[in-house]
Amino acid sequence: MDKVLMEFTDKVSSAVYKRTFVKLILSKRVLNDQDLNKIVVKYVELKGEDNLQFVYKYDRQDVTKNFSMADGIKQLQSIIGNNFLENYLYTTKEDLQLKYNNKHEPKLFKQKPTFTVAADGSHDEAKKRMLTTKNNVYLKSLGITDQKGEIIPSMNAKYKQVEKFVEIIDSLSANIKDSSPVKIADMGCGKGYLTFAAYDYLTNNLELTVDMKGIETQENLVKFCNNIAQKAQFGGLEFIQSNINDYKADKLDMLIALHACDTATDDAIYLGIQSEAKVIVVSPCCHKQIRQQMKITESNVLEPALKYGIVMERMAEIITDSLRALILNKNGYKTKLFEFIEPEYTSKNLILTAEKGDTPSAEEQAKIQSQIDAIKNKFGIKYHYLEKLIENPEDQSWRILNAQCAKSE
């Protein structure tokens, strides 16, 4: 067995037995004779026995199989490196990606953990939650829990999103723990589902002193959220009526912008960069600015595929967010792009996180810029909105009118 492959499989086995395992995703299948797209592996406990659950995701259906720990490990050892080109292991210690190139040569990439809490996997008992639901004022006021503190079934998907988001905040918290108070701005916060949860977790679980602002354009939502914050006795949380590009912040430890529509995400990222935020977390939901510029010529090898509208739309999303990540890299941030929750809970499930690092050298910045320019040239893109903000924020002539996604929830 190849040394790189052996290291990865050993990491999988170790994580499973040490209970640091969160999940494993095997994707980009080599063989095309079946419609199997990927396999997702998670830990489950069934009738008191430890198991590995394999969810085989086909084009038209999902097939679930449960294996004992030993049999599951054997199954993985027979699959990893043979049938899938991209393999992602999430543990509470680190994230690992085993990726094969066109010559089927493996390379292992390591990153900080996305999740710091291992899944308990229990199907027989209530799962542990990162937030306390009993006597929780804001969850009840937002209609997520009932009088007994139980999750209302129709709000289960919303709660899943909230809890997964808190896991991400927890994984990034090491960057902000030294600040007191921790200054956070949540841009376009809507009804504040995630704002309240983040403040609750950071203050009550991590015992940090937090100064948090929720920024929202709708006056009725601002009043609604401030009323809940007072009821919950969240003294360090305040909601303010403002557009993202009108809000002024000196220095921030963390900037959040979830589901900010189109270029509003870029306004939020720019504010994070300008305020020297240690952490930026955004979840974009539409990508019109780049889509409107994209032009595919016959010389582009992707032209036959991109003649389909839906493919073009998805490519616009990929390009927009990839350019955002590269622009953040150029400005001294280490970035990650990933799905933070399964699509069945929300289609708006992409998260871009950025952690402040050292400013790249002029040579490194030039290299990143050349990558940005190459992507733009390939697809006929004249500019990315975030680039313009950074280059000349005072020039308003090219600005596109921003609007927050309508929040009907």
Side-chain angles (χ1 to χ4, degrees):
M1 182 184 292
D2 180 90
K3 184 179 179 181
V4 176
L5 174 59
M6 183 177 295
E7 180 181 356
F8 185 78
T9 55
D10 286 346
K11 290 280 188 180
V12 173
S13 302
S14 175
V16 168
Y17 287 117
K18 290 183 178 180
R19 299 300 294 272
T20 62
F21 180 84
V22 178
K23 63 180 176 180
L24 175 68
I25 299 175
L26 311 177
S27 63
K28 211 167 184 180
R29 184 172 169 81
V30 177
L31 302 177
N32 295 317
D33 57 342
Q34 297 184 34
D35 60 353
L36 177 62
N37 298 313
K38 65 180 178 180
I39 302 175
V40 179
V41 184
K42 295 182 178 180
Y43 163 75
V44 294
E45 182 181 324
L46 300 172
K47 298 181 179 179
E49 297 292 331
D50 293 340
N51 288 263
L52 286 179
Q53 183 178 83
F54 287 60
V55 180
Y56 299 83
K57 293 185 174 292
Y58 295 88
D59 287 340
R60 295 178 177 82
Q61 65 174 335
D62 291 351
V63 177
T64 300
K65 296 182 180 180
N66 298 314
F67 296 91
S68 67
M69 301 291 268
D71 289 343
I73 292 296
K74 290 179 181 178
Q75 185 75 5
L76 287 173
Q77 289 173 341
S78 67
I79 296 174
I80 296 173
N82 294 322
N83 298 341
F84 294 91
L85 295 178
E86 294 185 3
N87 308 269
Y88 300 88
L89 172 63
Y90 298 92
T91 78
T92 59
K93 302 298 182 183
E94 61 184 346
D95 290 356
L96 292 99
Q97 178 186 7
L98 177 66
K99 190 173 182 179
Y100 287 83
N101 60 21
N102 293 333
K103 297 180 180 179
H104 206 71
E105 297 169 335
K107 191 171 183 179
L108 191 61
F109 302 89
K110 300 179 182 180
Q111 292 181 307
K112 291 181 180 179
T114 301
F115 308 98
T116 57
V117 177
D120 66 9
S122 175
H123 281 200
D124 303 322
E125 299 178 1
K127 293 183 178 180
K128 295 179 181 179
R129 294 193 170 108
M130 299 194 73
L131 301 172
T132 301
T133 57
K134 188 176 182 180
N135 298 322
N136 188 307
V137 173
Y138 69 87
L139 288 180
K140 181 177 177 297
S141 299
L142 292 171
I144 293 180
T145 58
D146 58 21
Q147 295 287 349
K148 297 179 180 179
E150 299 292 332
I151 306 297
I152 296 172
S154 62
M155 295 299 289
N156 185 58
K158 175 61 68 177
Y159 181 80
K160 286 280 188 182
Q161 294 176 51
V162 170
E163 191 165 62
K164 286 293 184 181
F165 173 73
V166 170
E167 286 185 15
I168 294 169
I169 295 296
D170 177 68
S171 71
L172 298 167
S173 61
N175 296 281
I176 61 175
K177 284 182 177 180
D178 292 338
S179 299
S180 185
V182 178
K183 293 186 177 182
I184 304 174
D186 184 359
M187 315 307 296
C189 60
K191 291 181 72 173
Y193 291 106
L194 304 176
T195 324
F196 285 113
Y199 182 87
D200 179 15
Y201 185 79
L202 291 172
T203 56
N204 294 318
N205 292 57
L206 300 187
E207 299 181 346
L208 300 177
T209 301
V210 178
D211 176 7
M212 189 168 188
K213 310 296 184 188
I215 311 304
E216 171 57 42
T217 59
Q218 299 182 60
E219 182 181 4
N220 62 319
L221 291 181
V222 171
K223 290 181 178 179
F224 174 75
C225 291
N226 276 324
N227 184 46
I228 296 175
Q230 291 174 8
K231 288 182 180 178
Q233 298 182 357
F234 287 171
L237 176 58
E238 179 185 8
F239 292 83
I240 298 172
Q241 184 181 6
S242 175
N243 290 312
I244 293 177
N245 51 14
D246 290 334
Y247 182 72
K248 306 299 180 185
D250 293 328
K251 281 201 172 184
L252 293 173
D253 294 295
M254 178 179 288
L255 180 133
I256 302 166
L258 304 185
H259 304 160
C261 188
D262 197 22
T263 54
T265 294
D266 300 305
D267 283 315
I269 293 173
Y270 174 69
L271 177 62
I273 293 173
Q274 289 299 105
S275 62
E276 300 180 5
K278 298 174 183 175
V279 176
I280 298 173
V281 183
V282 298
S283 176
C285 69
C286 17
H287 307 73
K288 299 175 184 177
Q289 188 257 326
I290 290 297
R291 174 65 183 90
Q292 291 168 350
Q293 295 184 63
M294 287 175 64
K295 295 178 181 178
I296 308 302
T297 64
E298 292 183 1
S299 61
N300 191 322
V301 69
L302 296 175
E303 188 271 337
L306 295 176
K307 67 181 180 180
Y308 303 104
I310 185 62
V311 178
M312 192 71 155
E313 291 292 335
R314 291 179 180 176
M315 180 60 72
E317 296 177 8
I318 293 169
I319 292 173
T320 300
D321 294 326
S322 297
L323 288 175
R324 283 170 175 155
L326 285 169
I327 294 168
L328 280 162
N329 293 157
K330 185 181 173 183
N331 283 271
Y333 285 86
K334 297 179 180 179
T335 56
K336 294 175 72 174
L337 265 169
F338 57 93
E339 289 185 346
F340 82 103
I341 196 169
E342 291 80 359
E344 58 261 33
Y345 294 111
T346 177
S347 59
K348 304 171 184 179
N349 64 342
L350 188 70
I351 285 281
L352 168 60
T353 65
E355 300 174 78
K356 185 66 174 175
D358 296 330
T359 302
S361 65
E363 182 180 358
E364 291 171 328
Q365 289 184 357
K367 181 179 179 180
I368 296 171
Q369 187 60 52
S370 68
Q371 295 171 340
I372 293 171
D373 293 339
I375 294 173
K376 291 192 300 183
N377 292 336
K378 192 70 174 178
F379 293 92
I381 299 167
K382 294 181 179 179
Y383 70 92
H384 192 292
Y385 183 90
L386 181 56
E387 277 188 298
K388 287 289 188 180
L389 276 175
I390 294 171
E391 291 170 2
N392 192 359
E394 301 304 320
D395 182 2
Q396 302 292 307
S397 62
W398 52 269
R399 278 184 178 269
I400 298 172
L401 182 62
N402 298 323
Q404 292 296 323
C405 289
K407 293 179 171 66
S408 59
E409 61 264 80

